[in-house]
Amino acid sequence: MSDDYARGRRDGLRMALDVLALEEAKWAALLGESESWRTNATRTVRHKQLQIAGQRIRTVLNRLTPKDAAAIDAELAAALDRAGL
């Protein structure tokens, strides 16, 4: 696997993790807000599903991340620059 391809995969996983975090925050704000127990139960299940999906993506990202700390810092800095942060 080429270095650019692996870096692109990790960037995609980071973006997916950010999207899941936003969705999780949205559902966390809605937990327990409805008067209907069924709606609250559905929201709780969705929130838990998002938490599990986020953990799975973090696991895959950790497996794909290089073990060299200097490479991680340079890659993360480049990704933040591209994102404008």
Side-chain angles (χ1 to χ4, degrees):
M1 186 167 21
S2 75
D3 191 41
D4 288 336
Y5 178 77
R7 188 176 302 119
R9 266 180 92 179
R10 290 189 296 270
D11 287 345
L13 287 171
R14 286 186 190 108
M15 189 181 322
L17 202 54
D18 290 341
V19 170
L20 280 175
L22 290 172
E23 283 293 312
E24 184 182 340
K26 178 182 95 172
W27 285 103
L30 295 174
L31 291 177
E33 292 292 318
S34 178
E35 293 181 14
S36 169
W37 68 269
R38 185 170 292 157
T39 301
N40 286 331
T42 302
R43 288 176 179 173
T44 302
V45 169
R46 287 182 183 165
H47 183 253
K48 187 63 177 176
Q49 287 173 333
L50 290 169
Q51 288 177 331
I52 291 169
Q55 186 57 45
R56 288 181 179 172
I57 290 177
R58 276 187 220 97
T59 300
V60 171
L61 184 58
N62 287 338
R63 288 180 184 166
L64 294 175
T65 303
K67 302 303 179 221
D68 182 20
I72 294 171
D73 292 339
E75 180 180 327
L76 190 56
L80 289 174
D81 286 341
R82 281 194 304 272
L85 299 174

